[in-house]
Amino acid sequence: MLELRDVTAGYVRKAPVFRGVSLTVRPGQAVGLLGPSGCGKSTLARVAALLHHPDAGTLVVDGTPVRRWRHRAPRAQRTAFGVVFQQARLSADPRLTLTDLIAEPLRATGRREGVGGRVAELAATVGLTADLLGRRPHEVSDGQLQRACLARALVLRPRWLVCDEMTAMLDASTTAALVRVVEDYRAETGAGLLAVGHDRVLLDRWCDRTVEWHTLTGTPTGTPTDTPTDTPMGTPTGP
């Protein structure tokens, strides 16, 4: 189970983005978190994925409270998550080919055997053809790069997926394709999902339940409090 208990978090001391938020995602469950851009939901997603240390509150992953975040977190907790951000170009190293981008978490965690086969398998799963794998981010479309970022998020076979506005910048056909990949993976593995977005129709169709941000915080839905969160090496896969 993924549990956020009474979490307060922000980026400036004494000026939190939100206070006292609690949210639970059960194994195998898909939970949508609905809110307008800038409301704070991406910050909560980063806390849930061990990418941002909260100011207060508790995160519990599979029954174990989290004591450390980012690269300081235990590998077993860190690699339990696969994360996909909205802006693929800000979360992908521009120097890497798509092959290396997908394989990045495997190499970072010392899992070098079978890398080629795993990359090829996931590339086919997300709809990337072999001719694209040798290209760098600037040589592919936004949709193709987001497919590679999703493959990267799945490469370690995570138990929890966090999709933060994963499809917000994509066309309808690419959105449908990536959602289908996520759902096929969850059906196969029983992974839980936290899907963050502002499209109620998509979240309602995709998720088992949708939670509105203002019901968690008690703040007006139009209050802009969040900050940009797409950063290179966003997925917690370091050694």
Side-chain angles (χ1 to χ4, degrees):
M1 188 176 297
L2 179 62
E3 300 174 83
L4 296 109
R5 301 174 180 171
D6 201 26
V7 170
T8 297
Y11 301 93
V12 179
R13 187 177 295 276
K14 297 183 180 179
V17 172
F18 56 80
R19 301 175 185 270
V21 170
S22 298
L23 182 66
T24 298
V25 184
R26 300 182 182 279
Q29 184 182 41
V31 174
L33 180 56
L34 176 70
S37 297
C39 69
K41 60 189 186 299
S42 289
T43 300
L44 184 68
R46 288 178 65 83
V47 172
L50 279 68
L51 293 175
H52 185 75
H53 196 302
D55 299 330
T58 303
L59 173 64
V60 180
V61 179
D62 299 324
T64 301
V66 173
R67 306 295 186 192
R68 297 176 181 271
W69 269 258
R70 297 187 68 86
H71 62 279
R72 295 183 179 88
R75 179 179 295 184
Q77 287 186 333
R78 199 168 64 241
T79 59
F81 290 88
V83 186
V84 188
F85 294 108
Q86 174 181 351
Q87 299 186 57
R89 298 196 184 279
L90 295 182
S91 61
D93 188 330
R95 300 167 297 178
L96 298 181
T97 65
L98 297 195
T99 289
D100 291 335
L101 175 69
I102 296 169
E104 189 178 18
L106 291 170
R107 292 174 175 148
T109 54
R111 307 178 191 188
R112 299 181 181 276
E113 293 186 8
V115 168
R118 181 66 174 149
V119 169
E121 173 192 358
L122 281 171
T125 296
V126 299
L128 290 173
T129 54
D131 63 297
L132 295 173
L133 296 180
R135 300 182 188 181
R136 289 178 171 80
H138 71 278
E139 298 173 311
V140 299
S141 70
D142 289 344
Q144 290 164 340
L145 185 56
Q146 192 68 304
R147 289 172 189 265
C149 289
L150 176 56
R152 177 182 61 181
L154 299 179
V155 74
L156 294 179
R157 298 182 174 87
R159 298 190 302 278
W160 301 98
L161 294 174
V162 177
C163 296
D164 184 8
E165 300 271 17
M166 178 182 74
T167 64
M169 301 180 70
L170 306 178
D171 60 40
S173 62
T174 305
T175 292
L178 295 192
V179 168
R180 184 168 60 250
V181 170
V182 170
E183 288 308 286
D184 287 347
Y185 177 80
R186 293 202 318 110
E188 176 187 350
T189 65
L193 168 68
L194 176 61
V196 175
H198 60 268
D199 185 337
R200 174 180 288 279
V201 173
L202 174 63
L203 291 180
D204 284 348
R205 290 179 177 176
W206 187 1
C207 300
D208 300 313
R209 66 185 179 99
T210 300
V211 179
E212 295 192 35
W213 177 253
H214 71 89
T215 67
L216 299 179
T217 63
T219 59
T221 57
T223 304
T225 55
D226 214 352
T227 62
T229 60
D230 300 308
T231 56
M233 299 294 288
T235 305
T237 54

